[in-house]
Amino acid sequence: MTYHLDLIFLLNVLVNVCLLKLTALVLRRRITQMRLWVSSLYGAATVLLWPLGLEAPIESFIGQVILACTLIWIAFGWMSIWPLVQAALAFTGTSYMMAGLVYVIHQTVFLRHDLFNDTVTLLTIAGAVPFSFLIFKLYHTFAVQREITFQTTVPCKVKIQGYELSFTTLLDTGNQLREPLSGYPVMFVELEQLKHGDAKPLADAIEDWMTSGLPGELVRHPRLIPYRGVSDSDGQLYGLKPDYVSIFTRNKWRETEPVYVVFEERQISGTNEYHGICPSSII
């Protein structure tokens, strides 16, 4: 049998693109074209191990798990354990269902095979049922969470460098600013929120950083985030990576995907109704 690696590689790229797009649709997550194609090419490159006889580690269970997690990290960026598990399950489920669908079409249309007399096919179809349920369950969960974006203000907790802040934040669908290195979304919090209680030394250190341009010892994981405003010239925002951000919605605290926090010296709300602006995409 002759294998055409170029055609197999191209087919794998196209299949990976479809799987990642379906996974992004199920999870309601944003995926850029560059990340989509880089991840797809990386996954398809594993077929080049066949001529070298090195495909065994990739085809093992552990190898498949590592490959799936790597594809997800490339496609969607770094994420914590639970979102990674959800994304991996969604990716595996869509892969399983697409493979089953292609197999059924191939057997019935091209080979005219009686599927119901094939034990392997019956087990494949039976196994697709729990995966299908899982996919729709994940879809429902994320769809419910996305409904939260219609709320204007919600309670929010931010823990940064050991200090926990509690305030009301505005969910802003128009906030598309991202930290360029990680691709994480950016949320804004009034610096005044840090000046209450034990967090005041950190607030002073951030103010010194904004003034001098040099982060002090208390400022950990600092980032300069470029921005461009409609009326303002280009500039840099001073951002920090928090320990976590949680938003209270539907009677439950929900931890968001990774973000960077920019502390704003001015009052964010003219009516003092909220003290932060959070991109709705992180829910």
Side-chain angles (χ1 to χ4, degrees):
M1 182 178 295
T2 302
Y3 293 97
H4 298 277
L5 284 179
D6 53 346
L7 296 179
I8 295 175
F9 177 80
L10 179 60
L11 179 61
N12 271 267
V13 171
L14 297 177
V15 169
N16 287 336
V17 168
C18 293
L19 292 177
L20 290 170
K21 292 288 282 187
L22 285 173
T23 303
L25 179 64
V26 169
L27 298 178
R28 296 290 186 91
R29 293 183 68 100
R30 177 178 174 269
I31 180 171
T32 63
Q33 290 295 319
M34 186 184 72
R35 285 182 173 273
L36 174 66
W37 286 100
V38 170
S39 182
S40 300
L41 289 168
Y42 173 82
T46 57
V47 303
L48 302 179
L49 298 176
W50 293 358
L52 303 176
L54 302 176
E55 72 279 4
I58 296 296
E59 293 179 351
S60 66
F61 175 76
I62 298 298
Q64 289 294 310
V65 170
I66 294 175
L67 179 61
C69 291
T70 306
L71 290 174
I72 290 167
W73 277 328
I74 295 174
F76 301 107
W78 185 263
M79 58 185 71
S80 56
I81 296 299
W82 176 233
L84 175 62
V85 171
Q86 291 176 318
L89 289 174
F91 180 78
T92 303
T94 52
S95 304
Y96 196 96
M97 288 190 295
M98 178 175 283
L101 179 62
V102 171
Y103 179 80
V104 168
I105 292 175
H106 177 69
Q107 292 289 328
T108 55
V109 176
F110 297 101
L111 300 182
R112 307 291 183 181
H113 188 66
D114 187 359
L115 294 178
F116 295 100
N117 291 328
D118 189 341
T119 304
V120 175
T121 303
L122 287 176
L123 291 176
T124 301
I125 296 174
V129 173
F131 272 118
S132 301
F133 173 79
L134 175 64
I135 290 298
F136 286 110
K137 179 66 176 177
L138 283 172
Y139 178 85
H140 174 73
T141 301
F142 279 87
V144 168
Q145 291 183 9
R146 295 305 179 188
E147 290 178 7
I148 300 166
T149 59
F150 291 102
Q151 298 174 248
T152 54
T153 58
V154 293
C156 179
K157 288 182 180 179
V158 175
K159 187 173 184 180
I160 185 164
Q161 298 183 185
Y163 301 106
E164 186 172 88
L165 313 176
S166 297
F167 53 91
T168 301
T169 185
L170 171 71
L171 294 178
D172 183 11
T173 57
N175 182 5
Q176 301 296 323
L177 183 62
R178 290 180 175 266
E179 197 276 323
L181 294 179
S182 64
Y184 293 162
V186 175
M187 69 176 296
F188 295 84
V189 179
E190 290 179 0
L191 185 60
E192 188 67 26
Q193 299 300 308
L194 268 177
K195 295 183 177 180
H196 304 294
D198 298 336
K200 191 175 185 307
L202 179 59
D204 295 337
I206 293 174
E207 284 187 322
D208 291 340
W209 177 30
M210 292 177 177
T211 303
S212 65
L214 298 174
E217 186 177 335
L218 290 179
V219 179
R220 299 194 297 269
H221 308 295
R223 289 290 188 276
L224 288 177
I225 303 171
Y227 75 95
R228 176 181 297 177
V230 175
S231 58
D232 299 330
S233 59
D234 299 351
Q236 301 281 342
L237 296 172
Y238 300 86
L240 298 176
K241 191 175 185 302
D243 301 328
Y244 68 80
V245 175
S246 294
I247 292 178
F248 188 78
T249 55
R250 295 184 177 273
N251 301 317
K252 182 180 180 180
W253 284 100
R254 304 175 187 272
E255 187 168 339
T256 69
E257 67 178 70
V259 298
Y260 270 89
V261 175
V262 167
F263 287 96
E264 177 60 54
E265 295 181 286
R266 297 170 297 178
Q267 181 177 312
I268 292 179
S269 170
T271 60
N272 211 32
E273 181 183 0
Y274 51 87
H275 304 283
I277 298 178
C278 179
S280 57
S281 60
I282 69 174
I283 303 175

